[in-house]
Structures are given as C-alpha cells and as structure tokens.
Amino acid sequence: MGRLALTGGTPIVSKPLDSTWPVHDERDERALLAVLQSGAWTRTRSQGAESWVWRFEDAFAAFQDARHGVAVATGSSGMELVLKAVGVEPGDEVIIPAATWITVATAVITVGAAPVFVDIDPGAYNLDARKVAAAITPKTRAIFCVHNGGMPADMDALRALADRHGVALVGDCAHAHGSQWRGRGVGAIEDAGVFSFQGSKVLPLGEGGMVLTESEEIQARLFGYHHVNGIVGRPKPERSLPATNLRMTEWVGALGLVGLERLPDQIATREANARYLRQGLAEIPGVDSLVWDSRVTRWSFYIWHWRFVQSEFENIQRDTFLAALKAEGVPTSTGQTAPLYKHAALTEMDCGRTNFPFNARVYGRMLDYAGNTCPETERIAATEALAFSHTLFLGPRQDMDQILDAVRKIRENVAELHAWEQAHADGSPA
Ligand SMILES: Cc1ncc(COP(=O)(O)O)c(C=O)c1O
C-alpha cells in the first residue's frame, strides 16, 4: 500500500468538494409563483415590459454591455439563429475552433454551411488568430469564435481579421457569462454572441439561451427567425423570414432575472478562489495555468482549464496524473479540448438520402474531415489539458488548499506514480 490514494493511501479530500448546483432560494419560488398565477406563461401572452422574458433580455444585455438581447429556447438553437441572422448560407464556410462543443459544428451544418476547423492556441485554448488568417478563403462567411471555458478569445486580432476580410464575427459565449475583454462584456464585441442557460451553466435556468448584438438589423432578424413575424414592440425584419418558434418561456425568463441578481457575487467568489489556486499551482513544478492576458479584464468561467506539463512532471502521462488526482477526491476532467473533427457525430453523421451538405456541389469539394489535423489541439487534448468545473470554486478557501495539497502530494510521490503507471502500462485496471 502506497501513500497515494491511487495506490491504497488515504485520499486528501474526505468530503466532496463540488458545491450543489444549481442553487435557488425563496426569490426563485416567488418568481415562479408569480408566473403561475399570472396565467401568462408564454411571452406572446404578456407583452412589453410586463413580460419576464422581455425584462430578462434587457437586464442580461445590460449586464454584458450589449444594446440588444434576444432570448431563445437553447444555446444551440441560438447559434443556428445567429448564423442565419448574419447571412450564412449553403455554400459558405464558417471557421470554428477545433476544440469545442459539438453543437457549434452541427449548428453550422444545420444551416447548410461547412465548418472549417482551426487549431487552438496553447496559451488560452481558444481559436488561434494566426491560423484563422490562413484558413480564410473566398467562401468564408463568418468566424465563429468560442470563449472556451469562459476565457475570452483574442477579440482584437479576430475583430481585425473579420473586418479586413469582410466576414462576420460571431461568438459562442456559452461558458462566459460575465467575462470581459478590455472592460467590455463578451457577446457585445462580436457582431452577435450566443449564451447558454442550460442547467449546468453559470446562469442555470434548465434550458435557454440568449443572443446579444449591437446591431438593430441583426436583432430584428433574430426576432423574426425565432418567432414568426417577430415580437410586438421589438424590431421586426422588413420582409418575412422562413421562421420557426424558438421562444423562451416566461418561467425561464423569471428564473433568469432572479439568477442574474446572484451572478455577480458568484463570479467574484469564483474569481478570488481561482486567483488563489493559480498562485498555488505556480509553485508546483509540472503543472501550470492558462495565460491570463491583461486584456481579459474579467475572467468568469464555466470550465477552468489548466495544464499538465509532462516534461516537467518526470514524464508521467497526463492521464495517470488525472487518475491520481481523482483518487485523492478532486473531481477533474480534460474539459472541452478534444478535436471535434474526430467526433463520431461528425465522422459518421447521417444526413439522409441526399447527404447534404457533405456532398454538396456548392462547396466545390466533398466535405470530409477524416484527413483533418490540428496539431496543437491534438497535443493539448492527449497530453496536457486538465479542467475543473466552476462549481468547485464556490466553496471556501480551504477547498482550494485541499486541491493544492492533493497536487503537491502527487508531485512528492511521483516515484510511486511511476511504478503504478508501469504496472498498468498494458491497460490493466487499477
Ligand atoms: C461551448 C458551448 N456552446 C454551446 C453549447 C450549447 O448550449 P445549449 O446546451 O444551451 O444548447 C454548449 C453546451 O454545453 C457549449 O458548451
């Protein structure tokens, strides 16, 4: 029996670190009861400022420094709307990061366009702007950046590129409620930015999403697409659009307004704990944090990515370290870093009889991701990435100390870990 929990020792963490999520209190109960008793459960029944969704749109847009908000049923449907609203059509290419959530790619495919995967940068795990420049073609219609984990992508470089090439810049802000670039909320910097309020996110409303934009024209198109003929009192497109129903319910709008009251304190707690953890990790050889660009003036996060540096950790495999950390009682994952183009949903996608858009002539080529390679993404996913959930950062400072103690303990017992790794080199179970 060794010292490490992985080899039979006592784990550092004796009671679970993860806080309960989502949280609620009597304010949520009051808000839900008010919706119930009003009988106006859909926003089409309660117009204007009487509507919870309407007020939530205004409040959330203001929170992110944006002029307009359009609430939708889910983040993923918001991404499809955004692509349509900025004019992405079949035959267009949309640049997306190689490492992100699968519905970023499927949103592009759903509107009939082709996702073009671009490598992530090793500092922030976001779209690498230098590689984006090389991927732009005459067919590129939009750059869809993702603020991975909540860390803002390089807005200066991506904005400049988008403007230079006359393409749209849209943002996936599903992880980044509250994150700021040069003092301005993400979502307000892009032509449009999409948030998710799915139940595990930092503003958890069960399901839901919101698109932010500075442009009244894009806002009008979003309202048009998400509800046939738009919403009374909100801007409407000049001509009718092939629209659908992706409205947010009043229940979700009510929970959103209440959740927004709690969000700033939660962000501050997470941020303070993350700074402390960052400092502690900096003193332990073989692990590191992401680069915190000084232009990221607020780093709110859903996933806190960090780095395992194999060459400085006596050549232990990242997955061995991950297993050791989990055994010590610290819930850890590899976050959203896996190369998306290898995802079975893409390589084996059933697009029906016509297989559109994979074999569409509009691209001038077959869409086939089998030969795709994004070397940094593959290296990061296989050997480096580590991640903590945002819920880990809502507890007391002692929780951060326990995480640091666990990492230190593993580091100090690296010889034991080596022996374990060798004994399990053939894949035999622990
Ligand atoms: C990066 C990213 N974008 C978009 C989404 C989709 O959001 P939703 O679940 O609200 O559809 C998610 C969901 O986890 C995500 O992680």
Side-chain angles (χ1 to χ4, degrees), residues 345-405:
L346 266 172
T347 55
E348 298 162 19
M349 192 177 289
D350 178 357
C351 282
R353 192 172 42 80
T354 59
N355 200 24
F356 183 82
F358 284 88
N359 62 355
R361 284 210 197 102
V362 277
Y363 303 109
R365 63 184 164 95
M366 296 280 281
L367 298 188
D368 180 5
Y369 296 106
N372 241 87
T373 42
C374 289
E376 273 305 288
T377 306
E378 296 196 13
R379 182 191 63 76
I380 288 165
T383 67
E384 184 181 282
L386 292 166
F388 290 140
S389 160
H390 69 97
T391 53
L392 221 54
F393 295 81
L394 287 175
R397 185 55 52 89
Q398 291 91 303
D399 286 4
M400 301 298 105
D401 285 327
Q402 291 205 59
I403 295 174
L404 291 168
D405 285 348

Side-chain angles (χ1 to χ4, degrees), residues 74-76 79 100-101 103-104 146 172 174-175 196 198 201 207-208 336:
T74 64
S76 300
M79 295 197 286
T100 183
W101 183 240
T103 62
V104 182
V146 179
D172 177 340
H175 301 171
S196 163
Q198 172 271 336
K201 299 295 185 305
E207 299 288 357
Q336 277 188 13

Side-chain angles (χ1 to χ4, degrees), residues 82 143-147 169-174 187 190-195:
V82 153
I143 300 169
F144 201 161
C145 68
V146 179
H147 306 295
L169 177 64
V170 288
D172 177 340
C173 316
E190 303 90 315
D191 296 316
V194 190
F195 290 77

Side-chain angles (χ1 to χ4, degrees), residues 65 152 154-157 179-186 189 293-298:
D65 310 306
D154 185 337
M155 289 287 91
D156 293 355
S179 286
Q180 294 176 348
W181 177 263
R182 294 187 187 275
R184 183 126 193 259
V186 296
I189 305 164
D293 191 309
S294 59
R295 294 167 295 178
V296 175
T297 40
R298 188 160 71 180

Side-chain angles (χ1 to χ4, degrees), residues 32 37 43 56 60 132 138 148 171 189-190 210 236 246 249 275 295 300-301 317 349 383 418 430:
L32 288 175
Q37 289 168 345
R43 77 176 297 178
F56 179 45
F60 188 73
V132 170
N148 196 6
I189 305 164
E190 303 90 315
M210 195 173 308
K236 294 182 183 194
L246 288 171
T249 71
R275 278 182 196 277
R295 294 167 295 178
S300 171
F301 54 86
Q317 305 281 322
M349 192 177 289
T383 67
H418 256 303

Side-chain angles (χ1 to χ4, degrees), residues 31-355:
L32 288 175
L33 200 59
V35 177
L36 184 75
Q37 289 168 345
S38 75
W41 300 350
T42 159
R43 77 176 297 178
T44 51
R45 285 285 300 276
S46 53
Q47 301 291 352
E50 274 171 36
S51 156
W52 292 86
V53 176
W54 180 295
R55 281 184 281 153
F56 179 45
E57 282 172 340
D58 291 347
F60 188 73
F63 180 71
Q64 287 298 133
D65 310 306
R67 255 187 232 145
H68 312 295
V70 180
V72 286
T74 64
S76 300
S77 55
M79 295 197 286
E80 290 167 32
L81 283 186
V82 153
L83 292 169
K84 289 199 240 176
V86 300
V88 173
E89 293 183 3
D92 291 338
E93 292 176 353
V94 176
I95 290 175
I96 67 171
T100 183
W101 183 240
I102 183 68
T103 62
V104 182
T106 52
V108 176
I109 290 168
T110 305
V111 301
V116 173
F117 297 95
V118 169
D119 222 349
I120 57 173
D121 77 88
Y125 293 0
N126 274 322
L127 256 186
D128 188 328
R130 287 160 307 176
K131 294 184 181 172
V132 170
I136 291 178
T137 74
K139 287 183 184 293
T140 308
R141 187 70 178 210
I143 300 169
F144 201 161
C145 68
V146 179
H147 306 295
N148 196 6
M151 172 70 91
D154 185 337
M155 289 287 91
D156 293 355
L158 293 175
R159 180 81 268 172
L161 263 178
D163 291 348
R164 190 172 338 127
H165 292 273
V167 303
L169 177 64
V170 288
D172 177 340
C173 316
H175 301 171
H177 319 60
S179 286
Q180 294 176 348
W181 177 263
R182 294 187 187 275
R184 183 126 193 259
V186 296
I189 305 164
E190 303 90 315
D191 296 316
V194 190
F195 290 77
S196 163
F197 306 123
Q198 172 271 336
S200 65
K201 299 295 185 305
V202 301
L203 185 48
L205 310 178
E207 299 288 357
M210 195 173 308
V211 186
L212 304 183
T213 181
E214 294 297 274
S215 153
E216 198 157 314
E217 191 191 327
I218 293 176
Q219 184 202 22
R221 289 170 68 78
L222 290 165
F223 274 126
Y225 277 126
H226 106 302
H227 170 68
V228 189
N229 298 325
I231 293 286
V232 175
R234 293 295 210 193
K236 294 182 183 194
E238 278 175 17
R239 293 166 53 211
S240 68
L241 301 169
T244 184
N245 170 13
L246 288 171
R247 294 186 303 269
M248 177 181 277
T249 71
E250 288 288 273
W251 309 101
V252 177
L255 286 179
L257 270 177
V258 176
L260 200 48
E261 285 175 23
R262 275 191 290 263
L263 188 58
D265 283 348
Q266 291 166 339
I267 290 176
T269 304
R270 286 193 199 97
E271 197 176 26
N273 273 330
R275 278 182 196 277
Y276 182 80
L277 185 72
R278 217 179 137 76
Q279 266 172 9
L281 289 176
E283 287 163 16
I284 307 174
V287 290
D288 205 352
S289 307
L290 293 187
V291 175
W292 192 340
D293 191 309
S294 59
R295 294 167 295 178
V296 175
T297 40
R298 188 160 71 180
W299 176 13
S300 171
F301 54 86
Y302 168 61
I303 303 171
W304 200 78
H305 286 112
W306 55 301
R307 303 169 60 225
F308 179 74
V309 189
Q310 192 178 8
S311 58
E312 292 170 21
F313 215 108
E314 315 262 337
N315 261 328
I316 287 287
Q317 305 281 322
R318 186 273 318 269
D319 288 349
T320 306
F321 174 79
L322 190 71
L325 198 54
K326 280 186 186 166
E328 296 298 336
V330 181
T332 320
S333 73
T334 56
Q336 277 188 13
T337 54
L340 210 50
Y341 48 83
K342 291 193 173 169
H343 196 298
L346 266 172
T347 55
E348 298 162 19
M349 192 177 289
D350 178 357
C351 282
R353 192 172 42 80
T354 59
N355 200 24

